[in-house]
Amino acid sequence: MVKQMGFVFNIDLCIGCKACEIACRNENQTVSAVKWRKVSKLTDDTYLSISCNHCSSPECFRVCPENAFTKRGDGIVQINSNLCTGCGLCISACPFGVPQYDPELHKVSKCQMCYPRQDKGFLPACIEACSTGAIGMENLDNFCSREAVSTIPGFPDSRLTNPSIVFYPAKKRKRYFLN
Ligand code: SF4
Ligand code: SF4
């Protein structure tokens, strides 16, 4: 069945604890120079946690001379490390800085949405580790929410690759003042 799975990220729920980043590293046994998921500060009190967006029109896929990238029927963009020569073209092409060069293996790797876990019926490690529920996953072909948006300030221009991620943006917070 062809569909497009993607991440759903709720800015107001993320507390910047990096449990998702750590869970990703543990699950995939990546070396310290390689970050498949990254948490960054957006403003004084908001954070963004992103990994590969498994784009509908992935530039990594288009530029790789070894055809190392494939897109599964569920939309996950995979990279075959056996085919990767570490040339780095995908690193330059991805607008989101996702593909990571591994200095030990001299190859590029990236988030594969934990497809081995998903194939066994488990959620990706980042989603499972997030205690606030800031990260979710949906079939974006069917996803419909009046509050969700396709981009937020600080997220790279999404027109080129059509990334498979949606956001619940930060709501205005109530402020209480003491006289
Ligand atoms: S685990 Fe959840 S709350 Fe913590 S940084 Fe990641 S997304 Fe944010
Ligand atoms: S986010 Fe980058 S690496 Fe991931 S599918 Fe899109 S272009 Fe490729």
Side-chain angles (χ1 to χ4, degrees):
M1 185 179 139
V2 178
K3 56 185 179 179
Q4 179 59 65
M5 299 306 295
F7 288 111
V8 178
F9 187 69
N10 188 319
I11 305 272
D12 278 337
L13 293 182
C14 179
I15 55 173
C17 67
K18 300 195 177 183
C20 50
E21 227 185 76
I22 295 162
C24 176
R25 169 154 302 156
N26 287 343
E27 178 71 23
N28 299 295
Q29 295 291 301
T30 48
V31 295
S32 59
V34 170
K35 278 190 177 177
W36 286 6
R37 177 166 283 279
K38 289 180 210 164
V39 178
S40 56
K41 219 169 190 315
L42 279 177
T43 65
D44 279 351
D45 56 359
T46 59
Y47 302 87
L48 177 63
S49 169
I50 61 163
S51 62
C52 178
N53 299 304
H54 304 281
C55 304
S56 292
S57 310
E59 275 293 280
C60 53
F61 185 109
R62 189 181 69 78
V63 302
C64 177
E66 311 301 329
N67 297 319
F69 291 86
T70 49
K71 196 161 171 68
R72 299 188 355 154
D74 55 9
I76 295 175
V77 174
Q78 281 180 276
I79 179 169
N80 181 339
S81 59
N82 293 328
L83 296 178
C84 175
T85 58
C87 73
L89 282 175
C90 56
I91 298 174
S92 314
C94 172
F96 312 97
V98 162
Q100 301 279 296
Y101 183 73
D102 186 327
E104 292 177 17
L105 299 175
H106 304 290
K107 285 178 182 288
V108 171
S109 63
K110 68 165 199 74
C111 156
Q112 313 213 62
M113 220 180 190
C114 284
Y115 73 83
R117 288 175 60 95
Q118 289 203 54
D119 289 349
K120 289 182 196 147
F122 298 110
L123 286 170
C126 54
I127 297 178
E128 199 169 87
C130 179
S131 59
T132 65
I135 313 175
M137 187 183 73
E138 294 284 346
N139 176 4
L140 296 186
D141 286 344
N142 297 333
F143 183 72
C144 183
S145 161
R146 263 198 261 166
E147 289 178 30
V149 293
S150 58
T151 191
I152 51 166
F155 191 65
D157 189 340
S158 54
R159 284 171 295 183
L160 182 62
T161 67
N162 196 10
S164 305
I165 182 168
V166 291
F167 302 92
Y168 287 105
K171 294 195 179 104
K172 281 199 177 140
R173 300 190 183 184
K174 284 187 183 163
R175 298 197 185 273
Y176 299 94
F177 298 98
L178 296 173
N179 302 333

